[in-house]
């Protein structure tokens, strides 16, 4: 059974940093592109980052480019999101998600999410 | 960016009825369209990808149609477990974008 379990969320002040982790199990982690998706309170879903199988390629929307860094450790079947220079608008539930096979960029499995609150 | 519009925010229906949820893209996305379901306390679940391909485990009462800019998720003969939130997502190009969601409520 595919499982994605996020951790590392919490309350952080604007301008500070936070690192999220996602522990994956139930599949060969190194074979899949992985991603982070977020959902602000009472808002829709927003794709945040994608990383290739080896970690050599990463992709971000403009809203987080230069502030967020996605990475992975295939030996540990773990995905990470380093978030710097956090803003109040980054307040959201962050989901770890697996991309589909064959470079299909839908999300076929999601974690339960971890809450990040950016506030002074 | 490709804007995804789900015209209905809420849809009320009764078990046994059939419903359709629409999703419109601001430009042609071919069939690079996925549908997701969210229920309280549960992880998001992929229902359909490539516009009409059922993900493994998705009941056959769900179907997807459309290509280009207009897409529809249809649920035949609603079951009690089908009530929840439904989102569409385009993966034709980055940034990948989602519709605002349609909440399917019990009438």
């Amino acid at each position: 059974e595919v499982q994605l379990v996020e951790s590392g969320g919490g309350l952080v002040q604007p301008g500070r940093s936070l690192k999220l982790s996602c522990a994956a199990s139930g599949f060969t982690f190194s074979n899949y592109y992985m991603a982070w998706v977020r959902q602000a309170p009472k808002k829709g879903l927003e794709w945040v980052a994608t990383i290739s199988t080896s970690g050599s390629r990463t992709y971000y929307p403009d809203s987080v480019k230069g502030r967020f860094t996605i990475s992975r450790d295939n030996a540990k079947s773990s995905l990470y999101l380093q978030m710097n220079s956090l803003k109040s608008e980054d307040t959201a539930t962050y989901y770890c998600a697996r991309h589909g096979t064959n470079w299909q960029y839908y999300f076929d499995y999601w974690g339960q999410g971890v809450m990040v609150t950016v506030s002074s | 960016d490709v804007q995804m519009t789900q015209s209905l925010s809420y849809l009320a229906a009764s078990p046994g009825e059939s419903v359709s949820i629409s999703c419109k893209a601001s430009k042609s996305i071919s069939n690079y369209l996925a549908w997701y379901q969210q229920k309280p306390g549960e992880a998001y679940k992929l229902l359909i990808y490539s516009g009409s391909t059922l993900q493994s485990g998705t009941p056959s009462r769900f179907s997807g149609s459309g290509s280009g800019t207009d897409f529809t998720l249809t649920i035949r003969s609603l079951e009690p477990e089908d009530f929840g939130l439904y989102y569409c997502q385009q993966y034709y190009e980055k940034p990948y974008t989602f519709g605002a969601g349609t909440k399917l409520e019990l009438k």
Side-chain angles (χ1 to χ4, degrees):
Chain A
E1 178 193 8
V2 172
Q3 286 200 326
L4 300 169
V5 180
E6 304 94 339
S7 60
L11 174 64
V12 60
Q13 293 178 328
R16 303 297 291 263
S17 299
L18 196 66
K19 186 173 184 177
L20 305 181
S21 299
C22 170
S25 61
F27 65 103
T28 304
F29 181 74
S30 58
N31 286 354
Y32 289 85
Y33 277 49
M34 297 294 295
W36 290 95
V37 179
R38 69 183 179 184
Q39 186 168 28
K42 307 295 186 185
K43 300 281 189 175
L45 292 161
E46 180 185 19
W47 165 69
V48 170
T50 285
I51 189 167
S52 64
T53 51
S54 66
S56 61
R57 291 183 297 277
T58 56
Y59 310 93
Y60 309 91
D62 288 345
S63 58
V64 305
K65 194 176 294 183
R67 299 189 300 122
F68 289 14
T69 302
I70 187 172
S71 62
R72 65 192 297 161
D73 184 336
N74 286 340
K76 295 183 177 179
S77 295
S78 292
L79 181 72
Y80 306 101
L81 185 68
Q82 176 69 45
M83 304 183 291
N84 298 334
S85 304
L86 281 161
K87 307 175 182 180
S88 58
E89 52 262 43
D90 296 318
T91 294
T93 297
Y94 285 74
Y95 298 95
C96 170
R98 191 181 85 170
H99 276 295
T101 55
N102 299 321
W103 300 278
Q104 295 286 318
Y105 295 108
Y106 52 80
F107 307 99
D108 63 357
Y109 286 94
W110 299 60
Q112 294 273 17
V114 62
M115 185 67 199
V116 173
T117 303
V118 184
S119 175
S120 54
Chain B
D1 298 359
V2 180
Q3 305 300 317
M4 305 301 293
T5 301
Q6 293 180 240
S7 55
L8 286 177
S9 298
Y10 296 94
L11 179 58
S14 301
E17 292 183 351
S18 294
V19 296
S20 292
I21 298 171
S22 66
C23 176
K24 187 175 181 68
S26 60
K27 62 179 274 189
S28 177
I29 58 171
S30 184
N31 67 338
Y32 291 90
L33 191 283
W35 289 97
Y36 302 91
Q37 177 193 61
Q38 188 200 27
K39 295 194 284 188
E42 297 185 14
Y44 278 89
K45 181 181 177 183
L46 172 68
L47 297 173
I48 287 170
Y49 61 94
S50 297
S52 60
T53 302
L54 264 61
Q55 169 71 345
S56 174
T58 301
S60 58
R61 62 181 179 275
F62 288 85
S63 63
S65 62
S67 66
T69 60
D70 293 289
F71 300 85
T72 302
L73 172 69
T74 300
I75 313 171
R76 281 186 298 106
S77 190
L78 280 165
E79 297 284 344
E81 61 266 28
D82 298 337
F83 294 92
L85 275 158
Y86 291 86
Y87 294 88
C88 60
Q89 177 231 340
Q90 67 80 21
Y91 52 99
Y92 177 77
E93 65 180 35
K94 301 180 185 66
Y96 310 123
T97 48
F98 295 83
T102 297
K103 187 173 185 179
L104 178 59
E105 296 181 318
L106 185 61
K107 187 187 292 182

